[in-house]
């Protein structure tokens, strides 16, 4: 703060200034007003107040995190290109060709078969292929580095094909993709596999490499999105900036070039990842024998989806609304709330942290449990309300209100927003979103549907089996802890695992009998401590 004005005077006094390199979070925040974003923005050229700015990790951070050393050098090496106002090196683009006649396609079809391995990428008009108007606009293929071709589909407005020609190409594509003798490479392959299966009935076989999964194996803390990996593996980082508009909305020459760069980069990344992975027999086994096949299974799971009984969702929604309305009436009858509304001449809103803070700590005189990290004001989060519930009936009501409001806004709304025309939920599963190696699920998160006493509306009843089928639940039952107990030869942990290990741990820490441990203590103390 003291030196900032002097720094800016220096900056303004440099008429030939081409680039400002910001090393670390503090310069990034001081100059651009961006707080804590250096790891995400490092190495990416930005414009701020007409200046070209290149944020890069601070050297001290790199010394503490040696895994970032290669990335750091890579980002430093971008400075020469950045001086010209662009990170993308035009010399690094490949040769790209849009196929618009059968003769050229026949030539490349033979080349692909001879190569024995190809990367592919598709551009679609949406993220999920379950709608009547779902279409694939183009298919990009790369079978050697710095070279890619693109096939516009019959559904594209850029299509050059007659119905007869497209039938021939589609038949050839099906033969190529379903051949067990040709290896397939893709970035997040299950997305492309799902679309090809749903739209064209093409079953991708011999899925050999997924650059997203391979990157996760090489460094689970690094980004594995294609756009971020391009910065590290090529000199084309930021190429997507040339694309004007959302990918799903475009169907033009810009989109076609973008798709070819995508697939070219995917193939190049694969060629650099392969020797690293194959040099480690354990990593190569995990990728080729476990994760890539599992990704294929997850793609089919996404397609199958799970059926929803909307009458039960409607019933749960009605119950939630009635309960919330009843709780609000009771909250408004609390003496502290009545006094607050009288003094402020405003209706009390339990969702307002400012109003809630006023009522709890001024009108009810409750003790301050903790402060917020940013404003350092008394916190009114769920944890605080739960701790104060035995001292205040208002807090007790607000805890219940919070549970039902959260349930209403998350579980019920997520189901409605993500219900597809076939009456099913088709979540997206991820193999690369957790450092533990567990799968993740979103839109909606089917791995986190409330159960037991947490399912206050019994929403799980809405997830139903198809006719003639059953839903079966499998639970690993704390398998990480069980494996650890075996590896460590820990008799105490083995004994605890014979019962409820989380309850046993909480009882030990809190010096209580296991039967006296509350469900909250079991989860917040025992479970958190164990993991």
């Amino acid at each position: 703060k003291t030196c900032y004005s002097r720094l800016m005077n220096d900056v303004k006094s440099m008429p030939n200034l081409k680039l400002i390199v910001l090393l670390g979070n503090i310069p990034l925040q001081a100059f651009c007003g961006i707080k804590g974003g250096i790891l995400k923005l490092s190495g990416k050229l930005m414009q701020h107040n007409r200046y070209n700015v290149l944020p890069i990790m601070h050297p001290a951070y790199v010394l503490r995190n040696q895994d970032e050393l290669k990335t750091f050098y890579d980002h430093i090496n971008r400075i020469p290109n950045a001086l010209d106002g662009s990170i993308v090196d035009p010399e690094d683009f490949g040769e790209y060709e849009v196929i618009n006649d059968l003769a050229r396609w026949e030539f490349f079809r033979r080349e692909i078969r001879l190569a024995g391995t190809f990367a592919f990428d598709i551009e679609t008009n949406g993220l999920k292929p379950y709608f009547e108007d779902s279409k694939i606009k183009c298919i990009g293929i790369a079978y050697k580095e710095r070279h890619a071709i693109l096939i516009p589909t019959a559904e594209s407005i850029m299509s050059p094909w007659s119905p007869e020609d497209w039938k021939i190409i589609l038949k050839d594509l099906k033969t190529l993709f379903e051949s067990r003798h040709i290896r397939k490479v893709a970035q997040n392959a299950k997305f492309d596999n799902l679309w090809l299966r749903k739209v064209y009935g093409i079953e991708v076989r011999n899925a050999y490499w997924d650059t997203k999964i391979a990157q996760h194996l090489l460094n689970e803390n690094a980004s594995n999105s294609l756009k971020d990996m391009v910065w590290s593996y090529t000199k084309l980082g930021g190429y997507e900036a040339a694309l004007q508009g959302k990918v799903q909305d475009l169907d033009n020459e810009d989109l076609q070039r973008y798709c070819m760069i995508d697939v070219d980069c995917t193939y190049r990344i694969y060629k650099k990842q392969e020797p690293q992975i194959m040099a480690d027999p354990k990593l190569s086994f995990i990728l080729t024998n476990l994760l890539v096949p599992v990704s294929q299974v997850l793609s089919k799971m996404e397609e199958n989806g799970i059926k929803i009984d909307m009458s039960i969702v409607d019933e749960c929604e009605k119950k939630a609304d009635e309960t919330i309305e009843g709780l609000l009436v009771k909250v408004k009858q609390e003496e502290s709330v009545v006094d607050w509304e009288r003094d402020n001449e405003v209706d009390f809103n339990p969702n307002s942290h400012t109003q809630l803070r006023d009522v709890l700590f001024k009108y009810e005189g409750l003790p301050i449990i903790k402060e917020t990290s940013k404003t350092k004001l008394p916190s009114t989060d769920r944890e605080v309300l739960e701790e104060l519930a035995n001292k205040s009936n208002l807090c007790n009501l607000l805890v219940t209100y919070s549970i039902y409001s959260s349930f209403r806004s998350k579980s019920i709304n997520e189901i409605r927003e993500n219900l597809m025309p076939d009456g099913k939920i088709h979540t997206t599963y991820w193999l690369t979103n957790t450092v533990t190696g567990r799968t993740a699920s979103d839109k909606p998160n089917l791995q986190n549907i409330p159960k037991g006493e947490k399912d206050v509306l019994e929403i799980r009843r809405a997830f139903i089996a198809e006719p003639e089928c059953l839903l079966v639940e499998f639970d690993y039952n704390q398998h990480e802890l069980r494996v650890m107990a075996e590896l460590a030869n820990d008799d105490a942990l083995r004994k605890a695992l014979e019962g409820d290990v989380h309850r046993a741990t909480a009882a030990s820490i809190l010096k209580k009998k296991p039967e006296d441990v509350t469900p909250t203590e079991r989860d917040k103390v025992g479970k958190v401590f164990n993991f």
Side-chain angles (χ1 to χ4, degrees), residues 100-251:
N100 52 27
D101 67 69
L102 281 179
R104 287 302 283 163
W105 165 242
E106 181 58 29
F107 168 78
F108 283 114
R109 186 183 69 81
R110 288 196 301 269
E111 291 282 297
I112 293 165
R113 290 187 70 86
L114 288 171
T117 303
F118 70 87
F120 68 98
D121 180 59
I122 64 172
E123 300 302 338
T124 65
N125 67 339
L127 294 177
K128 299 204 173 184
Y130 306 106
F131 300 94
E132 280 187 20
D133 63 344
S134 294
K135 67 178 182 180
I136 296 172
K137 293 179 280 193
C138 54
I139 301 170
I141 293 177
Y143 57 92
K144 58 184 178 181
E145 292 187 73
R146 288 181 170 76
H147 191 281
I149 63 169
L150 181 128
I151 304 147
T153 67
E155 292 78 27
S156 167
I157 61 173
M158 306 292 289
S159 173
W161 312 115
S162 67
E164 293 74 21
D165 288 350
W166 178 242
K167 279 182 185 177
I168 293 169
I169 288 175
L170 200 54
K171 184 180 177 183
D172 289 343
L173 286 172
K174 188 174 176 66
T175 302
L176 286 173
F177 277 105
E178 295 190 351
S179 170
R180 297 187 184 276
H181 305 293
I182 303 173
R183 300 190 298 189
K184 321 303 185 304
V185 175
Q187 163 76 6
N188 188 26
K190 66 184 182 61
F191 174 89
D192 303 67
N193 296 353
L194 173 60
W195 274 82
L196 288 169
R197 192 164 57 244
K198 284 291 289 180
V199 177
Y200 296 134
I202 293 174
E203 189 69 59
V204 178
R205 305 192 191 282
N206 196 3
Y208 172 61
W209 202 269
D210 189 315
T211 49
K212 186 179 184 73
I213 297 173
Q215 186 68 13
H216 184 66
L217 283 179
L218 290 169
N219 183 356
E220 71 270 23
N221 294 307
S223 170
N224 48 54
S225 80
L226 180 65
K227 302 303 180 286
D228 286 340
M229 285 194 287
V230 165
W231 291 92
S232 301
Y233 288 94
T234 75
K235 294 179 182 177
L236 297 178
Y239 68 89
E240 68 277 8
L243 196 67
Q244 300 298 313
K246 288 185 177 180
V247 173
Q248 292 99 317
D249 300 333
L250 300 176
D251 194 358

Side-chain angles (χ1 to χ4, degrees), residues 381-522:
D381 64 18
R382 172 91 71 85
E383 193 178 329
V384 168
L385 295 176
E386 286 174 352
E387 198 162 333
L388 294 172
N390 60 348
K391 295 185 172 122
S392 161
N393 187 52
L394 175 60
C395 287
N396 198 26
L397 290 169
L398 288 171
V399 167
T400 309
Y401 171 83
S402 174
I403 290 169
Y404 278 87
S405 294
S406 176
F407 210 110
R408 174 74 170 79
S409 63
K410 288 182 181 176
S411 298
I412 293 174
N413 286 359
E414 271 204 333
I415 289 174
R416 289 199 182 281
E417 288 166 8
N418 292 287
L419 191 72
M420 294 292 115
D422 59 3
K424 294 181 178 182
I425 292 286
H426 297 271
T427 189
T428 300
Y429 290 106
W430 298 106
L431 281 172
T432 57
N433 282 26
T434 64
V435 293
T436 61
R438 285 184 169 215
T439 55
S441 159
D442 69 358
K443 294 186 178 179
N445 184 354
L446 287 186
Q447 296 179 183
N448 198 27
I449 303 298
K451 66 186 293 187
E453 62 185 23
K454 291 181 181 178
D455 187 8
V456 292
L457 296 175
E458 298 183 316
I459 193 71
R460 287 176 84 88
R461 294 180 298 126
F463 296 83
I464 59 173
E466 298 276 10
E468 309 290 319
C469 294
L470 294 171
L471 284 182
V472 182
E473 182 177 3
F474 295 88
D475 189 344
Y476 280 117
N477 195 12
Q478 299 134 7
H479 73 299
E480 293 103 335
L481 291 175
R482 293 176 190 278
V483 169
M484 186 168 71
E486 286 301 309
L487 292 175
N489 198 24
D490 187 330
D491 287 334
L493 185 54
R494 280 198 188 110
K495 189 169 190 319
L497 284 162
E498 290 174 6
D500 186 333
V501 66
H502 299 324
R503 185 175 293 278
T505 300
S508 177
I509 292 171
L510 301 172
K511 298 185 174 11
K512 286 185 171 185
K513 292 179 180 178
E515 59 268 25
D516 294 335
V517 172
T518 67
T520 300
E521 289 170 339
R522 176 198 178 274

Side-chain angles (χ1 to χ4, degrees), residues 228-440:
D228 286 340
M229 285 194 287
V230 165
W231 291 92
S232 301
Y233 288 94
T234 75
K235 294 179 182 177
L236 297 178
Y239 68 89
E240 68 277 8
L243 196 67
Q244 300 298 313
K246 288 185 177 180
V247 173
Q248 292 99 317
D249 300 333
L250 300 176
D251 194 358
N252 54 21
E253 290 178 357
D254 288 345
L255 178 73
Q256 293 180 341
R257 179 171 172 78
Y258 168 84
C259 181
M260 287 187 282
I261 300 171
D262 263 2
V263 75
D264 174 29
C265 289
T266 299
Y267 190 83
R268 288 196 229 175
I269 291 168
Y270 145 67
K271 293 299 285 184
K272 289 183 178 177
Q273 287 176 338
E274 189 181 36
Q276 295 180 66
I277 295 277
M278 291 307 175
D280 185 333
K282 291 181 180 178
L283 280 187
S284 62
F285 177 84
I286 290 171
L287 178 71
T288 57
N289 290 60
L290 181 65
L291 295 184
V292 170
V294 165
S295 176
Q296 297 284 88
V297 173
L298 291 178
S299 177
K300 290 185 178 178
M301 287 170 61
E302 289 180 14
E303 181 182 6
N304 288 339
I306 186 163
K307 200 149 186 65
I308 300 295
D309 186 334
M310 287 307 294
S311 66
I312 293 177
V313 175
D314 294 338
E315 177 191 318
C316 291
E317 185 175 48
K318 183 181 178 185
K319 182 182 176 183
D321 290 342
E322 288 173 352
T323 304
I324 290 168
E325 192 177 332
L327 286 165
L328 280 174
V329 170
K330 291 180 181 178
V331 164
K332 293 290 189 84
Q333 291 171 347
E334 286 292 308
E335 187 177 344
S336 56
V337 175
V338 172
D339 292 345
W340 184 91
E341 287 186 335
R342 182 196 63 225
D343 294 346
N344 291 274
E345 298 181 346
V346 175
D347 281 343
F348 175 66
N349 176 10
N351 298 315
S352 166
H353 290 292
T354 304
Q355 294 183 15
L356 189 53
R357 195 177 293 121
D358 225 15
V359 172
L360 294 183
F361 305 116
K362 289 183 182 177
Y363 284 74
E364 294 228 339
L366 293 168
I368 295 170
I369 304 295
K370 66 176 182 179
E371 296 176 340
T372 60
S373 57
K374 287 185 180 178
T375 63
K376 302 301 178 186
L377 292 169
S379 172
T380 59
D381 64 18
R382 172 91 71 85
E383 193 178 329
V384 168
L385 295 176
E386 286 174 352
E387 198 162 333
L388 294 172
N390 60 348
K391 295 185 172 122
S392 161
N393 187 52
L394 175 60
C395 287
N396 198 26
L397 290 169
L398 288 171
V399 167
T400 309
Y401 171 83
S402 174
I403 290 169
Y404 278 87
S405 294
S406 176
F407 210 110
R408 174 74 170 79
S409 63
K410 288 182 181 176
S411 298
I412 293 174
N413 286 359
E414 271 204 333
I415 289 174
R416 289 199 182 281
E417 288 166 8
N418 292 287
L419 191 72
M420 294 292 115
D422 59 3
K424 294 181 178 182
I425 292 286
H426 297 271
T427 189
T428 300
Y429 290 106
W430 298 106
L431 281 172
T432 57
N433 282 26
T434 64
V435 293
T436 61
R438 285 184 169 215
T439 55

